[in-house]
Amino acid sequence: MRISQLLTTTLREAPRDAEGSSHELLVRAGFIRQLTAGVYSYLPLGNRVLRNIMQIVREEMNRIGGQEVILPVLQPEEIWAQRPASGKASRLEDYGPVLFRLKDRKERAMVIAPTHEEVATLLAKEFLRSYRDLPRLLYQFQVKLRDEPRPRGGLLRVREFIMKDLYSFDVDQAGLDRSFEQVRAAYKAIFQRCDLNFLIVQADSGAIGGKESLEFMALTEAGEDVILKCDKCDYAANREKAEFVRRVLPEEAEMPLEEVYTPNCMAISDLAAYLNVPEAKTMKVVCYVASGRMVLVALRGDLEVNEVKLTNVLNRAGINAIDLHLATSEELEQEGIVAGYTSPLQKGQRILIIADTSLQQGNNFVAGANRIDYHIQHVNYPRDFRVDIWDDIASAYDGATCVRCGGTLHALRGSELGHIFKIGTRYAELFDVTYLDAEGNSRLVQMGSYGIGIGRLMALVVEQNHDEKGIIWPFPVAPYQVALLGLDMDKADTRTVVEQLYAELTAAGLEVLFDDRTETAGVKFNDADLIGLPLRAVVSKRSLKNGGVELKWRVRKESQIVSVHDAVQAIQTEIRNGLHERVSL
């Protein structure tokens, strides 16, 4: 491809709204352009990267027996409104405002799908009727739409994206376990082929559902997720899911309640300093509202509320937490709660009290007195307050103790590459998807769901592979294999050589981006570094004088000269090496 004919342009300066390296570089290098918040066009260079990633994914999905389908983006709202027999929230309620919804000309309510579990399950119901039909793996590459409240980081969090989603259908739990492990191995192969540094961590299942899920996390400072990883065992989890050992406090004899004056001590740190007590001896209380009900959350003062864990606790209790939010001043006033000085003491039954298990590991806590500038010392459970639900609702932190081995958890930043779920029978129950076993008995199909965001994967490759000059594409995903730079194009002998070399490389089936523009050498070298193709070949008056064509890897400082006669073969050899070995500095 000649750059003079390519639909793109490079930018010298970063866009003003750029968030993170991948966002800046993909825009500057001419791979993507934003249409509106969280919605991007992929230019020819970006599209080629997407196609290469999709081909890698397709090969690994086919390798484990996946069958490619295309499922509809536009879906009847009624299948999303199906409510489980347990009476818990439907997926329509679970997703809430994230769903794009519309009505057709007949006023039929429709959904633009953010994921495809429902449609895949309905297909299974039609075709998978006997144990002989199982297992099956169906996958697709499809556009998804989610009305994210805060799109950010370019392709890292968007509202429209391409996802590879795969759905497994099995006869029993053992079969689901086998499918899950097959896909896990395939995902590892995909991300290794894309030259990514990643961890596999335990994760929250969210709106997809299921008892077990794993995330593949690319390690990057640009990531919006925090991973807690043990330094002694293989335990690793997203902070949304991570478990940890609460520090045990010395048990004391229970003391009588005592109200104390604590001026301007709304924050835990101020309170602990004023009373000269550890933060762990204070009680932190945060007030939320979910489905119109006040939820008072209590935990030890040295910990933070984990809202994902809290949401799961509420959902398990039959309270739809899709609208969970911090209580407003008006909502607090309606319940007679004083912000900054509240506690679970003397609260009526209409207020749901959820406490973290940390409050079971200590006593004589300092809690709010429910009036401004006052706290109460020596608060103890169950003498002084009730708890409706005890659970793990606290966030793990850097330096916390591992629940598996007693090692130390360390915090790392990462961004999700892929997510795999053991859904079980959730959707089979919803749509009555059964099969006949060998004895003729009707049984529910076991299901798994597995996703990879293709655009995000592309962005994360850039996050992990760039320098101050631009992108450094790994060979397997690079839009072209070779950047061919023609310098001194006004010289007939130089132009003849570079044009001939371009023709020969193209004829040999190599993917070449030929900079044939009438630009200065500095512009061409800067653009080549910015676009970041793995291998650069330069033909110039100087290179010909030195013996031929100058070859240089994007990640290396040194270059080599090969003769014009041997250039094609030399470039082919370098490409073969690059495809099979990680080329580094």
Side-chain angles (χ1 to χ4, degrees), residues 404-430:
R404 301 290 190 270
C405 72
T408 301
L409 298 179
H410 293 289
L412 303 168
R413 296 207 70 85
S415 190
E416 180 189 316
L417 286 165
H419 203 161
I420 60 178
F421 305 80
K422 289 183 182 178
I423 294 176
T425 60
R426 172 180 176 174
Y427 297 94
E429 291 172 358
L430 205 59

Side-chain angles (χ1 to χ4, degrees), residues 210-367:
K211 296 180 179 178
E212 181 180 350
S213 74
L214 297 175
E215 283 177 318
F216 293 75
M217 284 285 190
L219 299 178
T220 170
E221 286 303 311
E224 57 187 9
D225 292 294
V226 176
I227 304 159
L228 280 302
K229 185 179 186 302
C230 181
D231 62 0
K232 288 187 178 179
C233 71
D234 61 358
Y235 180 73
N238 192 311
R239 186 162 63 179
E240 295 177 346
K241 176 80 171 180
E243 302 173 17
F244 65 103
V245 177
R246 274 74 170 158
R247 182 160 56 93
V248 177
L249 301 180
E251 194 73 18
E252 303 170 350
E254 286 192 1
M255 302 284 287
L257 294 177
E258 178 184 355
E259 188 175 83
V260 291
Y261 180 56
T262 53
N264 302 314
C265 288
M266 295 179 68
I268 290 293
S269 56
D270 295 335
L271 175 65
Y274 184 81
L275 294 178
N276 194 27
V277 298
E279 290 188 3
K281 290 291 289 182
T282 67
M283 185 184 299
K284 180 179 294 183
V285 173
V286 185
C287 295
Y288 293 88
V289 173
S291 295
R293 185 173 184 183
M294 181 66 67
V295 180
L296 190 151
V297 176
L299 70 168
R300 228 163 52 188
D302 58 332
L303 301 173
E304 299 294 334
V305 177
N306 185 313
E307 291 190 357
V308 173
K309 290 182 179 180
L310 174 61
T311 296
N312 292 334
V313 170
L314 289 168
N315 287 334
R316 287 195 294 270
I319 299 172
N320 186 0
I322 188 64
D323 65 343
L324 178 71
H325 63 275
L326 289 170
T328 65
S329 56
E330 292 79 8
E331 289 168 331
L332 292 174
E333 186 177 352
Q334 287 175 4
E335 297 293 344
I337 293 174
V338 179
Y341 295 93
T342 191
S343 74
L345 279 68
Q346 299 178 339
K347 293 296 183 289
Q349 293 295 325
R350 66 181 179 277
I351 296 178
L352 179 68
I353 300 177
I354 301 176
D356 183 70
T357 54
S358 58
L359 290 178
Q360 296 174 325
Q361 297 169 339
N363 63 349
N364 290 334
F365 292 104
V366 179

